[in-house]
Amino acid sequence: MSITNTGSSAESLATTVVTVNYGADRTPALQLSEPGGMDMPASVAGNGTATGVYIFTIPVDQRNNVRLEVDYSVKVPPLVFQGALPL
């Protein structure tokens, strides 16, 4: 996942939280750190892009209704993506 800062000043990403849930009951997906997981850096420079890698386990038969939420700042509402994942 990447976050692009279009402003001229650095923005903190120190409190970034990524959550994933699935199914009608919004079952929380288990987050893994390996192989290759990487949190966002503490900040993103002005006119820069920061990247993190987040790995979650979601049962194959539940991948048709997945919700990903990214909360990186109290100044803006969380970013929410919802839909089916490719199998």
Side-chain angles (χ1 to χ4, degrees):
M1 168 179 63
S2 296
I3 293 177
T4 299
N5 178 2
T6 59
S8 59
S9 300
E11 289 288 332
S12 175
L13 299 176
T15 60
T16 300
V17 176
V18 178
T19 56
V20 173
N21 57 60
Y22 57 87
D25 295 333
R26 290 191 174 173
T27 303
L30 176 65
Q31 185 174 357
L32 306 174
S33 59
E34 296 292 332
M38 179 179 67
D39 288 335
M40 283 288 179
S43 65
V44 57
N47 297 308
T49 299
T51 301
V53 177
Y54 296 85
I55 304 165
F56 293 88
T57 60
I58 302 168
V60 172
D61 64 343
Q62 296 293 312
R63 294 183 182 175
N64 62 336
N65 184 8
V66 176
R67 178 183 170 99
L68 169 86
E69 191 168 312
V70 180
D71 192 355
Y72 71 94
S73 172
V74 297
K75 296 186 273 183
V76 296
L79 306 169
V80 178
F81 304 91
Q82 188 164 345
L85 296 178
L87 297 176

